[in-house]
mmCIF file of all heavy atoms in Angstrom:
data_model
loop_
_atom_site.group_PDB
_atom_site.id
_atom_site.type_symbol
_atom_site.label_atom_id
_atom_site.label_comp_id
_atom_site.label_asym_id
_atom_site.label_seq_id
_atom_site.Cartn_x
_atom_site.Cartn_y
_atom_site.Cartn_z
ATOM 1 N N THR A 1 -8.987 -1.651 -10.745
ATOM 2 C CA THR A 1 -7.579 -1.936 -10.492
ATOM 3 C C THR A 1 -6.736 -0.700 -10.796
ATOM 4 O O THR A 1 -6.977 0.002 -11.785
ATOM 5 C CB THR A 1 -7.082 -3.124 -11.340
ATOM 6 O OG1 THR A 1 -7.280 -2.848 -12.723
ATOM 7 C CG2 THR A 1 -7.813 -4.401 -10.961
ATOM 8 N N VAL A 2 -5.767 -0.448 -9.938
ATOM 9 C CA VAL A 2 -4.847 0.681 -10.096
ATOM 10 C C VAL A 2 -3.440 0.148 -9.855
ATOM 11 O O VAL A 2 -3.194 -0.540 -8.858
ATOM 12 C CB VAL A 2 -5.157 1.818 -9.095
ATOM 13 C CG1 VAL A 2 -4.146 2.955 -9.256
ATOM 14 C CG2 VAL A 2 -6.585 2.320 -9.272
ATOM 15 N N SER A 3 -2.526 0.463 -10.763
ATOM 16 C CA SER A 3 -1.158 -0.018 -10.591
ATOM 17 C C SER A 3 -0.240 1.125 -10.189
ATOM 18 O O SER A 3 -0.491 2.294 -10.511
ATOM 19 C CB SER A 3 -0.648 -0.669 -11.884
ATOM 20 O OG SER A 3 -0.609 0.258 -12.934
ATOM 21 N N GLY A 4 0.816 0.785 -9.486
ATOM 22 C CA GLY A 4 1.765 1.794 -9.058
ATOM 23 C C GLY A 4 2.761 1.248 -8.061
ATOM 24 O O GLY A 4 2.835 0.042 -7.818
ATOM 25 N N ASP A 5 3.505 2.152 -7.454
ATOM 26 C CA ASP A 5 4.548 1.829 -6.479
ATOM 27 C C ASP A 5 4.237 2.599 -5.200
ATOM 28 O O ASP A 5 4.258 3.831 -5.191
ATOM 29 C CB ASP A 5 5.913 2.248 -7.037
ATOM 30 C CG ASP A 5 7.068 2.005 -6.073
ATOM 31 O OD1 ASP A 5 6.811 1.650 -4.906
ATOM 32 O OD2 ASP A 5 8.228 2.201 -6.490
ATOM 33 N N PHE A 6 3.928 1.875 -4.108
ATOM 34 C CA PHE A 6 3.487 2.594 -2.903
ATOM 35 C C PHE A 6 4.602 3.395 -2.243
ATOM 36 O O PHE A 6 4.348 4.172 -1.329
ATOM 37 C CB PHE A 6 2.780 1.693 -1.898
ATOM 38 C CG PHE A 6 3.457 0.404 -1.513
ATOM 39 C CD1 PHE A 6 4.808 0.343 -1.197
ATOM 40 C CD2 PHE A 6 2.713 -0.769 -1.413
ATOM 41 C CE1 PHE A 6 5.413 -0.832 -0.815
ATOM 42 C CE2 PHE A 6 3.309 -1.969 -1.030
ATOM 43 C CZ PHE A 6 4.668 -1.999 -0.727
ATOM 44 N N PHE A 7 5.848 3.238 -2.690
ATOM 45 C CA PHE A 7 6.905 4.108 -2.188
ATOM 46 C C PHE A 7 6.917 5.460 -2.905
ATOM 47 O O PHE A 7 7.552 6.398 -2.431
ATOM 48 C CB PHE A 7 8.277 3.441 -2.332
ATOM 49 C CG PHE A 7 8.559 2.425 -1.254
ATOM 50 C CD1 PHE A 7 8.661 1.084 -1.564
ATOM 51 C CD2 PHE A 7 8.710 2.819 0.062
ATOM 52 C CE1 PHE A 7 8.924 0.145 -0.573
ATOM 53 C CE2 PHE A 7 8.976 1.891 1.060
ATOM 54 C CZ PHE A 7 9.077 0.552 0.741
ATOM 55 N N ARG A 8 6.230 5.548 -4.038
ATOM 56 C CA ARG A 8 6.160 6.814 -4.770
ATOM 57 C C ARG A 8 4.853 7.546 -4.485
ATOM 58 O O ARG A 8 4.840 8.715 -4.105
ATOM 59 C CB ARG A 8 6.310 6.556 -6.270
ATOM 60 C CG ARG A 8 7.681 6.002 -6.630
ATOM 61 C CD ARG A 8 7.889 5.960 -8.123
ATOM 62 N NE ARG A 8 9.236 5.513 -8.448
ATOM 63 C CZ ARG A 8 9.740 5.502 -9.668
ATOM 64 N NH1 ARG A 8 9.006 5.930 -10.698
ATOM 65 N NH2 ARG A 8 10.971 5.083 -9.877
ATOM 66 N N GLU A 9 3.740 6.868 -4.692
ATOM 67 C CA GLU A 9 2.439 7.450 -4.384
ATOM 68 C C GLU A 9 1.399 6.343 -4.354
ATOM 69 O O GLU A 9 1.598 5.265 -4.920
ATOM 70 C CB GLU A 9 2.037 8.514 -5.421
ATOM 71 C CG GLU A 9 1.862 7.978 -6.828
ATOM 72 C CD GLU A 9 1.277 9.014 -7.770
ATOM 73 O OE1 GLU A 9 0.743 10.036 -7.279
ATOM 74 O OE2 GLU A 9 1.336 8.796 -8.999
ATOM 75 N N ILE A 10 0.294 6.646 -3.683
ATOM 76 C CA ILE A 10 -0.846 5.733 -3.653
ATOM 77 C C ILE A 10 -2.066 6.549 -4.082
ATOM 78 O O ILE A 10 -2.796 7.083 -3.239
ATOM 79 C CB ILE A 10 -1.043 5.110 -2.251
ATOM 80 C CG1 ILE A 10 0.250 4.431 -1.780
ATOM 81 C CG2 ILE A 10 -2.194 4.102 -2.268
ATOM 82 C CD1 ILE A 10 0.182 3.891 -0.363
ATOM 83 N N PRO A 11 -2.280 6.679 -5.384
ATOM 84 C CA PRO A 11 -3.346 7.557 -5.881
ATOM 85 C C PRO A 11 -4.721 6.902 -5.792
ATOM 86 O O PRO A 11 -5.416 6.710 -6.795
ATOM 87 C CB PRO A 11 -2.926 7.793 -7.327
ATOM 88 C CG PRO A 11 -2.233 6.526 -7.722
ATOM 89 C CD PRO A 11 -1.519 6.050 -6.473
ATOM 90 N N VAL A 12 -5.130 6.603 -4.576
ATOM 91 C CA VAL A 12 -6.380 5.879 -4.337
ATOM 92 C C VAL A 12 -7.116 6.555 -3.191
ATOM 93 O O VAL A 12 -6.540 6.760 -2.116
ATOM 94 C CB VAL A 12 -6.093 4.402 -3.967
ATOM 95 C CG1 VAL A 12 -7.381 3.690 -3.567
ATOM 96 C CG2 VAL A 12 -5.420 3.672 -5.125
ATOM 97 N N GLU A 13 -8.380 6.881 -3.401
ATOM 98 C CA GLU A 13 -9.207 7.459 -2.338
ATOM 99 C C GLU A 13 -10.274 6.454 -1.946
ATOM 100 O O GLU A 13 -11.015 5.951 -2.796
ATOM 101 C CB GLU A 13 -9.855 8.763 -2.814
ATOM 102 C CG GLU A 13 -10.564 9.525 -1.702
ATOM 103 C CD GLU A 13 -11.047 10.894 -2.149
ATOM 104 O OE1 GLU A 13 -10.197 11.698 -2.596
ATOM 105 O OE2 GLU A 13 -12.270 11.139 -2.038
ATOM 106 N N ALA A 14 -10.353 6.147 -0.665
ATOM 107 C CA ALA A 14 -11.292 5.130 -0.190
ATOM 108 C C ALA A 14 -11.716 5.433 1.237
ATOM 109 O O ALA A 14 -11.100 6.254 1.934
ATOM 110 C CB ALA A 14 -10.649 3.743 -0.270
ATOM 111 N N ASP A 15 -12.772 4.759 1.673
ATOM 112 C CA ASP A 15 -13.221 4.877 3.060
ATOM 113 C C ASP A 15 -12.407 3.978 3.976
ATOM 114 O O ASP A 15 -12.125 4.320 5.123
ATOM 115 C CB ASP A 15 -14.705 4.515 3.167
ATOM 116 C CG ASP A 15 -15.584 5.407 2.311
ATOM 117 O OD1 ASP A 15 -15.469 6.634 2.437
ATOM 118 O OD2 ASP A 15 -16.367 4.865 1.505
ATOM 119 N N ILE A 16 -12.046 2.797 3.449
ATOM 120 C CA ILE A 16 -11.251 1.831 4.205
ATOM 121 C C ILE A 16 -10.111 1.344 3.322
ATOM 122 O O ILE A 16 -10.328 0.983 2.159
ATOM 123 C CB ILE A 16 -12.106 0.628 4.667
ATOM 124 C CG1 ILE A 16 -13.174 1.068 5.671
ATOM 125 C CG2 ILE A 16 -11.222 -0.454 5.283
ATOM 126 C CD1 ILE A 16 -14.114 -0.051 6.085
ATOM 127 N N TYR A 17 -8.908 1.343 3.886
ATOM 128 C CA TYR A 17 -7.735 0.821 3.189
ATOM 129 C C TYR A 17 -7.279 -0.454 3.904
ATOM 130 O O TYR A 17 -7.057 -0.445 5.121
ATOM 131 C CB TYR A 17 -6.593 1.832 3.199
ATOM 132 C CG TYR A 17 -6.880 3.117 2.468
ATOM 133 C CD1 TYR A 17 -7.447 4.204 3.138
ATOM 134 C CD2 TYR A 17 -6.580 3.262 1.115
ATOM 135 C CE1 TYR A 17 -7.700 5.397 2.473
ATOM 136 C CE2 TYR A 17 -6.823 4.453 0.443
ATOM 137 C CZ TYR A 17 -7.389 5.515 1.125
ATOM 138 O OH TYR A 17 -7.635 6.697 0.463
ATOM 139 N N LEU A 18 -7.120 -1.536 3.155
ATOM 140 C CA LEU A 18 -6.573 -2.781 3.678
ATOM 141 C C LEU A 18 -5.100 -2.879 3.303
ATOM 142 O O LEU A 18 -4.702 -2.517 2.196
ATOM 143 C CB LEU A 18 -7.311 -3.986 3.093
ATOM 144 C CG LEU A 18 -8.828 -4.072 3.275
ATOM 145 C CD1 LEU A 18 -9.390 -5.205 2.424
ATOM 146 C CD2 LEU A 18 -9.172 -4.290 4.742
ATOM 147 N N MET A 19 -4.299 -3.397 4.231
ATOM 148 C CA MET A 19 -2.906 -3.742 3.932
ATOM 149 C C MET A 19 -2.585 -5.041 4.666
ATOM 150 O O MET A 19 -2.447 -5.052 5.883
ATOM 151 C CB MET A 19 -1.938 -2.653 4.399
ATOM 152 C CG MET A 19 -1.891 -1.418 3.544
ATOM 153 S SD MET A 19 -0.539 -0.327 4.104
ATOM 154 C CE MET A 19 -0.588 0.938 2.846
ATOM 155 N N LYS A 20 -2.500 -6.123 3.911
ATOM 156 C CA LYS A 20 -2.203 -7.416 4.530
ATOM 157 C C LYS A 20 -0.737 -7.765 4.336
ATOM 158 O O LYS A 20 -0.272 -7.889 3.203
ATOM 159 C CB LYS A 20 -3.076 -8.519 3.934
ATOM 160 C CG LYS A 20 -2.795 -9.907 4.541
ATOM 161 C CD LYS A 20 -3.583 -10.993 3.874
ATOM 162 C CE LYS A 20 -3.121 -11.282 2.486
ATOM 163 N NZ LYS A 20 -1.732 -11.864 2.429
ATOM 164 N N TRP A 21 -0.038 -7.947 5.446
ATOM 165 C CA TRP A 21 1.376 -8.341 5.426
ATOM 166 C C TRP A 21 2.185 -7.429 4.498
ATOM 167 O O TRP A 21 3.008 -7.893 3.733
ATOM 168 C CB TRP A 21 1.527 -9.808 5.014
ATOM 169 C CG TRP A 21 1.550 -10.725 6.195
ATOM 170 C CD1 TRP A 21 1.595 -10.391 7.502
ATOM 171 C CD2 TRP A 21 1.525 -12.163 6.150
ATOM 172 N NE1 TRP A 21 1.603 -11.512 8.295
ATOM 173 C CE2 TRP A 21 1.550 -12.608 7.490
ATOM 174 C CE3 TRP A 21 1.473 -13.095 5.119
ATOM 175 C CZ2 TRP A 21 1.533 -13.959 7.810
ATOM 176 C CZ3 TRP A 21 1.457 -14.437 5.453
ATOM 177 C CH2 TRP A 21 1.489 -14.854 6.784
ATOM 178 N N ILE A 22 1.950 -6.126 4.601
ATOM 179 C CA ILE A 22 2.725 -5.149 3.844
ATOM 180 C C ILE A 22 3.738 -4.471 4.756
ATOM 181 O O ILE A 22 4.944 -4.528 4.527
ATOM 182 C CB ILE A 22 1.806 -4.085 3.199
ATOM 183 C CG1 ILE A 22 0.803 -4.742 2.249
ATOM 184 C CG2 ILE A 22 2.649 -3.028 2.485
ATOM 185 C CD1 ILE A 22 1.431 -5.430 1.070
ATOM 186 N N ILE A 23 3.252 -3.857 5.815
ATOM 187 C CA ILE A 23 4.121 -3.060 6.685
ATOM 188 C C ILE A 23 5.193 -3.921 7.353
ATOM 189 O O ILE A 23 6.321 -3.459 7.574
ATOM 190 C CB ILE A 23 3.285 -2.299 7.726
ATOM 191 C CG1 ILE A 23 2.354 -1.294 7.018
ATOM 192 C CG2 ILE A 23 4.156 -1.577 8.735
ATOM 193 C CD1 ILE A 23 3.079 -0.268 6.162
ATOM 194 N N HIS A 24 4.897 -5.182 7.634
ATOM 195 C CA HIS A 24 5.904 -6.009 8.318
ATOM 196 C C HIS A 24 7.117 -6.312 7.441
ATOM 197 O O HIS A 24 8.153 -6.751 7.948
ATOM 198 C CB HIS A 24 5.271 -7.296 8.855
ATOM 199 C CG HIS A 24 5.135 -8.409 7.862
ATOM 200 N ND1 HIS A 24 5.088 -9.729 8.229
ATOM 201 C CD2 HIS A 24 5.011 -8.404 6.510
ATOM 202 C CE1 HIS A 24 4.962 -10.492 7.158
ATOM 203 N NE2 HIS A 24 4.908 -9.711 6.102
ATOM 204 N N ASP A 25 7.001 -6.082 6.134
ATOM 205 C CA ASP A 25 8.137 -6.335 5.242
ATOM 206 C C ASP A 25 9.227 -5.271 5.339
ATOM 207 O O ASP A 25 10.333 -5.486 4.829
ATOM 208 C CB ASP A 25 7.658 -6.366 3.780
ATOM 209 C CG ASP A 25 6.991 -7.680 3.409
ATOM 210 O OD1 ASP A 25 7.318 -8.707 4.026
ATOM 211 O OD2 ASP A 25 6.154 -7.675 2.493
ATOM 212 N N TRP A 26 8.928 -4.134 5.989
ATOM 213 C CA TRP A 26 9.798 -2.980 5.877
ATOM 214 C C TRP A 26 10.231 -2.462 7.236
ATOM 215 O O TRP A 26 9.525 -2.640 8.232
ATOM 216 C CB TRP A 26 9.085 -1.871 5.097
ATOM 217 C CG TRP A 26 8.521 -2.365 3.805
ATOM 218 C CD1 TRP A 26 7.229 -2.692 3.535
ATOM 219 C CD2 TRP A 26 9.255 -2.637 2.595
ATOM 220 N NE1 TRP A 26 7.102 -3.135 2.239
ATOM 221 C CE2 TRP A 26 8.330 -3.116 1.643
ATOM 222 C CE3 TRP A 26 10.611 -2.502 2.241
ATOM 223 C CZ2 TRP A 26 8.718 -3.479 0.351
ATOM 224 C CZ3 TRP A 26 10.994 -2.861 0.953
ATOM 225 C CH2 TRP A 26 10.049 -3.334 0.031
ATOM 226 N N ASN A 27 11.388 -1.774 7.268
ATOM 227 C CA ASN A 27 11.840 -1.170 8.515
ATOM 228 C C ASN A 27 10.989 0.061 8.837
ATOM 229 O O ASN A 27 10.087 0.430 8.064
ATOM 230 C CB ASN A 27 13.334 -0.825 8.449
ATOM 231 C CG ASN A 27 13.669 0.235 7.400
ATOM 232 O OD1 ASN A 27 12.894 1.156 7.141
ATOM 233 N ND2 ASN A 27 14.844 0.118 6.797
#
């Protein structure tokens, strides 16, 4: 588990990134 704010940084390295119902919340 890694905590943070994706508007500041996403300090995570992976082969696949999932984002469920994240982008639709924002302009």
Side-chain angles (χ1 to χ4, degrees):
T1 58
V2 178
S3 62
D5 178 352
F6 50 46
F7 281 113
R8 295 189 176 187
E9 63 172 345
I10 305 175
V12 174
E13 188 173 302
D15 301 308
I16 295 176
Y17 296 90
L18 303 170
M19 284 188 174
K20 179 184 70 66
W21 268 353
I22 300 296
I23 297 301
H24 83 154
D25 282 333
W26 309 101
N27 64 34

